[in-house]
């Protein structure tokens, strides 16, 4: 698949998970001014990605912008999951005009499912339903939501000794580890000084 076009809303996973599954040659992240930061975080995780902006609510303008960004000569698959409703309508209209496939991520239930549709003279056809395997690491998930983070391990005092709280964290970590895919201890998000520490971050599949 040469190009996968994503509409970027406030949540990054509807773009990251389909991209990891479909592995396009080029990723086009179409965001708004408001969701530019989400697109920037995604670009760090998708090195083949390009970011472009569109207006969020002017349907004719969005359609013209998408047509400009994704020429008819390209083979494009459109991800309709994110963005504003107007962006989704414009992308859907363009996919119909150009007989491009489009996908939608159903994430309300686990495991998430990617629905793929095609368009031709006979109308819409469902091509496939993909139950998503594990596609990300805990680091990917945190990187998609945060400007940065560091993992400091179990709580320690000023002398580097594990505190009583750290011993408790370690016990919980060891109890959980055989039953989940990944656990990170002592995660400190960037951008909030030292105000927030997450004792344990636990990943099961893509959750």
């Amino acid at each position: 698949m040469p190009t996968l076009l994503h509409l970027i809303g406030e949540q990054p996973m509807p773009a990251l998970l389909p991209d990891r599954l479909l592995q396009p040659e080029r990723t086009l992240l179409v965001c708004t001014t408001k969701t530019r930061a989400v697109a920037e975080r995604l670009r760090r995780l998708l090195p083949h990605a390009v970011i472009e902006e569109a207006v969020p609510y002017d349907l004719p303008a969005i359609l013209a912008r998408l047509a400009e960004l994704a020429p008819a000569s390209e083979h494009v698959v459109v991800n309709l999951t994110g963005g504003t409703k107007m962006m989704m309508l414009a992308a859907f209209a363009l996919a119909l005009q150009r007989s491009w496939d489009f996908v939608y991520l159903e994430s309300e239930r686990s495991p998430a499912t990617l629905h793929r549709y095609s368009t031709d003279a006979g109308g819409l056809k469902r091509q496939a339903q993909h139950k998503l395997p594990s596609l990300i690491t805990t680091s990917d998930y945190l990187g998609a939501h945060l400007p940065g983070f560091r993992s400091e391990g179990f709580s320690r005092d000023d002398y580097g000794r594990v505190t009583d709280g750290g011993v408790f964290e370690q016990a919980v970590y060891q109890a959980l580890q055989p039953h989940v895919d990944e656990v990170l201890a002592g995660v400190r998000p960037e951008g909030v000084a030292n105000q927030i520490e997450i004792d344990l971050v636990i990943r099961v599949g893509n959750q």
Side-chain angles (χ1 to χ4, degrees):
M1 177 193 310
T3 301
L4 180 56
L5 187 157
H6 298 287
L7 307 173
I8 305 304
E10 295 184 4
Q11 298 300 322
M13 305 312 287
L16 180 59
L17 292 177
D19 206 278
R20 287 285 173 86
L21 180 72
L22 298 176
Q23 300 183 349
E25 294 176 18
R26 183 172 84 106
T27 294
L28 183 57
L29 305 173
V30 181
C31 64
T32 66
T33 301
K34 183 178 179 181
T35 61
R36 178 88 191 195
V38 179
E40 294 285 359
R41 293 195 297 271
L42 283 166
R43 182 164 60 179
R44 294 184 315 205
L45 299 168
L46 303 170
H48 49 284
V50 175
I51 297 175
E52 298 288 352
E53 286 193 18
V55 295
Y57 300 113
D58 184 337
L59 186 56
I62 301 167
L63 183 56
R65 178 65 170 150
L66 294 179
E68 171 193 356
L69 294 173
S73 58
E74 287 190 39
H75 175 53
V76 178
V77 172
V78 179
N79 179 5
L80 299 179
T81 316
T84 65
K85 289 183 174 63
M86 288 296 188
M87 292 170 72
M88 183 274 291
L89 288 172
F92 178 68
L94 189 63
L96 291 181
Q97 289 175 15
R98 297 184 174 175
S99 298
W100 287 341
D101 284 10
F102 59 89
V103 296
Y104 186 88
L105 182 66
E106 177 192 355
S107 57
E108 290 79 10
R109 296 174 293 179
S110 184
T113 302
L114 189 69
H115 301 273
R116 182 165 180 165
Y117 298 85
S118 64
T119 62
D120 57 26
L124 294 176
K125 294 181 181 179
R126 179 186 284 178
Q127 292 288 74
Q129 288 179 283
H130 301 283
K131 299 290 185 183
L132 269 57
S134 294
L135 296 166
I136 59 170
T137 65
T138 305
S139 180
D140 291 333
Y141 186 91
L142 293 170
H145 289 87
L146 300 170
F149 73 94
R150 63 185 187 274
S151 180
E152 297 181 343
F154 307 116
S155 180
R156 296 178 180 273
D157 62 21
D158 294 339
Y159 300 98
R161 297 173 299 198
V162 177
T163 64
D164 289 344
V167 172
F168 178 70
E169 293 165 8
Q170 190 171 29
V172 175
Y173 179 101
Q174 291 170 347
L176 288 171
Q177 196 172 31
H179 307 288
V180 299
D181 291 316
E182 197 175 358
V183 188
L184 286 186
V187 172
R188 287 195 178 272
E190 289 183 5
V192 290
N194 284 321
Q195 297 178 42
I196 296 176
E197 180 186 7
I198 306 170
D199 292 336
L200 297 172
V201 178
I202 302 147
R203 180 179 64 83
V204 178
N206 298 309
Q207 302 292 321

